[in-house]
């Protein structure tokens, strides 16, 4: 479908869309429509999407669940993400619909967590204050489209000085009897001094092709701390476009890890802005691809305040005919003195047919800064492989150990010990060409 087709579908079904959402969501749609019609989908002519033309991903005649038909998914049966040594409070989305489980305990008194639709109806002032507040719709992308069609999703609100020790895990499943487009919205709000660890897990059980257009917006207040882990383990038939927007207050801290272990086509965009001095961001990523898979990660870090620190490390391992792309931009605005920033992208192409495109960028308008960026694309070390074989390690095992060590630099930066151990096992399984799935999870069987 063309861009105009989506506008027509929205206009023709506006009443149906509004009836399945809340007044707070509906209040954003007119502006979203205006932005979408002005800027539309990005294509390869847009520098940020130079190697990923997502407009072609939206061209098929996708089905959309605008009438909020209840999907035949039982969370208790479909989701068994039995992660060893990682006790989490689990929540579930089927496409973009929140799946409520009976007996779901409350994390901490005062914390709001659950369906974005239900929370926006019961507490419209809270959601209205933050929903859409950090999302950029005035540019080509999917944020305006997501805002036009969003009807549900997930929300976490942590009040002032509240710390959640138990990680929150959101398992999202793309499922359907027809080719489906899902516009999923996730809103994370941490008030001053709050702390949260959030794990997002994307799965797919659909035999048919599916497309996820997801927006994650995070408002991190002064002195707040957020650990955000995004893990994609879908299928060859799955396409995903995800925009992350993060706003950080004074002395706040964010650690974000984006891991693509199995997919079809993926485009992740991470936008972060420092709103107050003393904030820090650590952004990491791993992509492992084979076959005809495609992974594109883009990051934009806006140093809009003084004394802020950002560190980025993305690594790709590409096999067969897979392709990867990384473009990262760090902007140091005028007056943002004592900025410290490091951006690194390292990549391994295992075959001649695999391709990697990388473009790290720095744009600096302050003089008291310490900034660096760099990128490498290469192959496995032949000398190291020979050395390991000389000591009795078979070639296949030697290659796997070198790749695991290569990815280990990113995994070692994960603060949560139990999650780091589990993800290391999943990466090893993926590198051995095993099925990368959560232990005991029926979704990926």
């Amino acid at each position: 479908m063309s861009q105009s087709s989506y506008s027509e579908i929205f206009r023709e079904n506006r009443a149906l869309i509004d009836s399945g959402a809340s007044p707070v969501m509906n209040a954003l749609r007119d502006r979203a429509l205006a932005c979408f019609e002005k800027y539309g989908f990005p294509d390869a002519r847009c520098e940020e999407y130079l190697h990923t033309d997502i407009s072609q991903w939206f061209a098929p005649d996708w089905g959309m669940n605008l009438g909020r038909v209840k999907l035949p998914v039982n969370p208790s049966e479909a989701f068994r993400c039995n992660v060893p040594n990682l006790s989490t409070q689990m929540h579930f989305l089927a496409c973009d619909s929140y799946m409520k489980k009976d007996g779901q305990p409350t994390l901490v008194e005062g914390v709001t967590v659950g369906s974005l639709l239900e929370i926006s109806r019961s507490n419209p002032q809270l959601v209205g204050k933050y929903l859409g507040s950090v999302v950029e719709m005035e540019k080509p992308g999917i944020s305006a489209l997501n805002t036009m069609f969003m009807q549900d999703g997930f929300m976490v609100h942590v009040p002032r000085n509240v710390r959640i020790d138990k990680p929150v895990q959101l398992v999202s499943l793309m499922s359907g009897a027809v080719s489906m487009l899902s516009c999923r919205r996730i809103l994370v709000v941490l008030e001053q001094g709050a702390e949260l660890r959030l794990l997002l897990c994307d799965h797919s059980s659909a035999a048919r092709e599916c497309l996820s257009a997801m927006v994650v917006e995070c408002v991190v207040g002064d002195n707040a701390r957020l650990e955000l882990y995004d893990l994609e383990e879908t299928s060859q038939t799955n396409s995903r476009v995800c925009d992350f927007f993060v706003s950080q207050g004074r002395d706040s801290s964010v650690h974000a890890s984006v891991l693509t272990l199995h997919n079809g086509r993926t485009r992740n965009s991470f936008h972060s802005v420092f709103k107050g001095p003393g904030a820090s961001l650590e952004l990491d990523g791993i992509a492992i691809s084979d076959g005809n898979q495609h992974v594109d990660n883009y990051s934009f870090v806006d140093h809009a305040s003084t004394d802020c620190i950002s560190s980025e490390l993305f690594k790709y391992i590409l096999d067969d005919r897979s392709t990867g792309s990384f473009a990262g931009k760090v902007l140091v605005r005028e007056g943002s003195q004592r900025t410290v920033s490091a951006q690194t992208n390292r990549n391994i192409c295992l075959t001649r047919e695999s391709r990697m495109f990388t473009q790290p960028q720095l744009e600096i308008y302050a003089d008291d800064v310490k900034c660096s960026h760099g990128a490498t694309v290469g192959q496995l070390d032949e000398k190291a492989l020979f050395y390991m074989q000389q000591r009795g390690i078979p070639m296949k095992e030697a290659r796997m150990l070198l790749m695991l060590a290569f990815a280990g630099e990113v995994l070692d930066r994960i603060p949560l010990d139990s999650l780091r151990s589990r993800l290391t096992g999943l990466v090893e399984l993926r590198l051995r060409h095993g099925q990368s799935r959560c232990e005991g999870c029926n979704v990926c069987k």
Side-chain angles (χ1 to χ4, degrees), residues 94-112:
C95 293
D96 63 344
S97 298
Y98 183 81
M99 307 297 290
K100 189 173 183 178
K101 284 187 67 178
D102 296 332
Q104 186 76 281
T106 302
L107 284 169
V108 179
E109 186 176 355
V111 173
T112 302

Side-chain angles (χ1 to χ4, degrees), residues 22 37 51 99 104 135 182 192 213 217 246 280 282 298 319 323 339 345 347 370 412 433 438:
S22 67
E37 292 188 328
H51 303 290
M99 307 297 290
Q104 186 76 281
V135 172
S182 169
Q192 180 178 340
E217 46 184 329
V246 179
S280 65
E282 189 171 41
Y298 171 83
D319 202 354
T323 57
T339 287
N345 174 225
N347 313 281
K370 185 184 293 185
D412 288 344
H433 296 282
C438 291

Side-chain angles (χ1 to χ4, degrees), residues 159-203:
R160 184 170 179 169
N161 295 326
V162 172
R163 175 181 178 181
I164 300 180
D165 294 322
K166 192 173 187 178
V168 176
Q169 183 175 7
L170 176 64
V171 179
S172 301
L173 172 68
M174 288 299 296
S175 178
V178 298
S179 299
M180 290 289 295
L181 165 62
S182 169
C183 293
R184 185 186 308 146
R185 192 63 164 257
I186 298 174
L187 175 62
V188 180
V189 179
L190 275 64
E191 302 284 3
Q192 180 178 340
E195 295 187 19
L196 171 69
R197 288 175 291 182
L198 177 63
L199 173 60
L200 307 177
C201 297
D202 266 21
H203 294 282

Side-chain angles (χ1 to χ4, degrees), residues 423-437:
L423 290 177
T424 300
L426 287 176
V427 169
E428 181 176 351
L429 178 64
R430 180 70 173 94
L431 293 174
R432 292 183 184 276
H433 296 282
Q435 185 179 19
S436 183
R437 63 177 179 86

Side-chain angles (χ1 to χ4, degrees), residues 275-345:
K275 294 285 191 177
S280 65
L281 167 69
E282 189 171 41
L283 175 60
D284 305 324
I286 292 177
I288 302 175
S289 296
D290 53 20
N292 292 307
Q293 295 170 344
H294 176 78
V295 181
D296 183 350
N297 285 304
Y298 171 83
S299 69
F300 176 71
V301 180
D302 187 352
H303 282 263
S305 191
T306 61
D307 302 287
C308 293
I309 301 172
S310 66
S311 174
E312 296 180 69
L313 176 60
F314 278 81
K315 289 194 170 187
Y316 289 64
I317 299 175
L318 306 174
D319 202 354
D320 300 329
R321 299 164 304 284
S322 62
T323 57
S325 176
F326 172 80
K329 182 176 182 179
V330 175
L331 171 63
V332 182
R333 294 187 182 273
E334 185 177 355
S336 297
Q337 305 294 357
R338 298 172 298 281
T339 287
V340 178
S341 176
Q343 182 187 89
T344 305
N345 174 225

Side-chain angles (χ1 to χ4, degrees), residues 36-89:
F36 179 70
E37 292 188 328
K38 181 177 181 180
Y39 299 103
F41 293 120
D43 54 30
R45 293 172 295 180
C46 181
E47 185 177 5
E48 294 181 11
Y49 294 81
L50 187 61
H51 303 290
T52 304
D53 186 357
I54 67 168
S55 63
Q56 298 302 314
W57 301 7
F58 288 86
D61 187 11
W62 297 103
M64 301 178 71
N65 188 16
L66 303 181
R68 314 314 295 160
V69 176
K70 187 175 181 179
L71 298 175
V73 176
N74 186 334
S76 300
E77 295 179 358
F79 303 102
R80 295 178 185 172
C81 200
N82 185 23
V83 181
N85 303 317
L86 183 62
S87 176
T88 65
Q89 187 190 73

